[in-house]
């Protein structure tokens, strides 16, 4: 059976093959050698980053759209929810938004379940991932061990997953 999804993204079968030492691309084609320096792992990083970016937007749009003026004043114009359609936020943007001010941290903490984690812990994780992902997606080679480590951290393999925790954040009051 095919190991690709309709979108060409990595399926669970791809990851099993990848972690076992095989090399697969999102389209499901194989390279003959595990350590082939020409093999590009960047698509996996891009997919993980896109999942984080989209989930940040889903969680934060309603909260920031109705945030108090003091919180909104601490953001750049392009970081306000009204601007996101024209300019979607990146991992680095989300890290900056989450760490923008003490007022932001306090607002998220009193508005969202796990809002303190969002403000204090997620931003540094996103910034670290962006520092690795950006060069790997554009010019550097992404190492297998690093890609696996980031996948495990983001998806929660052997630990609490950043993406699952982020996706589960809900307003404290409706």
């Amino acid at each position: 059976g095919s190991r690709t999804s309709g979108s060409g993204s990595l399926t669970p079968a791809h990851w099993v093959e990848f972690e076992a030492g095989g090399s697969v691309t999102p389209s499901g084609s194989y390279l003959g050698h595990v350590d082939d320096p020409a093999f590009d792992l960047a698509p996996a990083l891009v997919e993980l980053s896109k999942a984080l970016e989209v989930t940040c937007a889903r969680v934060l749009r309603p909260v920031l759209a109705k945030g108090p003026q003091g919180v909104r004043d601490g953001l750049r114009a392009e970081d306000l929810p009204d601007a996101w359609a024209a300019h979607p936020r990146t991992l680095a943007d989300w890290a900056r938004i989450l760490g923008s001010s003490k007022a932001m941290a306090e607002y998220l903490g009193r508005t969202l379940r796990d809002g303190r984690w969002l403000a204090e812990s997620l931003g540094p994780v996103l910034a670290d991932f962006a520092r690795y992902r950006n060069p790997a997606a554009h010019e550097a080679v992404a190492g297998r061990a690093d890609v696996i480590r980031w996948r495990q951290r983001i998806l929660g393999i052997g630990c609490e997953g950043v993406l699952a925790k982020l996706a589960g954040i809900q307003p404290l009051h409706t």
Side-chain angles (χ1 to χ4, degrees):
S2 173
R3 288 183 305 218
T4 58
S5 70
S7 67
S9 61
L10 293 171
T11 65
H14 283 110
W15 285 109
V16 169
E17 176 78 19
F18 179 71
E19 289 176 345
S23 296
V24 296
T25 64
S27 66
S29 60
Y30 293 84
L31 295 175
H33 303 283
V34 172
D35 296 320
D36 184 343
F39 184 66
D40 184 11
L41 297 174
L45 296 173
V46 171
E47 288 187 16
L48 291 170
S49 66
K50 184 52 66 180
L52 287 167
E53 291 163 356
V54 168
T55 306
C56 280
R58 183 191 57 77
V59 168
L60 290 170
R61 180 183 301 277
V63 176
L64 295 181
K66 61 184 178 187
Q69 195 62 44
V71 168
R72 295 172 61 83
D73 287 346
L75 297 175
R76 298 175 182 180
E78 67 267 19
D79 289 340
L80 294 170
D82 294 342
W84 297 352
H87 303 284
R89 303 295 75 205
T90 66
L91 293 173
D93 293 332
W94 288 118
R96 184 184 63 250
I97 289 167
L98 291 170
S100 63
S101 67
K102 184 176 179 188
M104 173 68 76
E106 290 171 355
Y107 174 64
L108 294 175
R110 70 175 179 268
T111 314
L112 297 171
R113 182 171 42 91
D114 288 326
R116 277 283 188 216
W117 170 84
L118 190 69
E120 296 170 2
S121 299
L122 182 61
V125 169
L126 297 178
D128 287 346
F129 187 44
R131 279 190 291 274
Y132 181 75
R133 178 257 186 228
N134 291 345
H138 298 290
E139 71 268 351
V141 174
R144 175 183 312 286
D146 289 334
V147 172
I148 290 171
R149 182 178 56 83
W150 277 111
R151 176 183 177 260
Q152 290 171 339
R153 185 173 185 189
I154 292 168
L155 298 182
I157 300 167
C159 62
E160 180 177 39
V162 171
L163 188 59
K165 185 162 184 162
L166 173 61
I169 291 177
Q170 299 292 323
L172 286 174
H173 310 285
T174 55

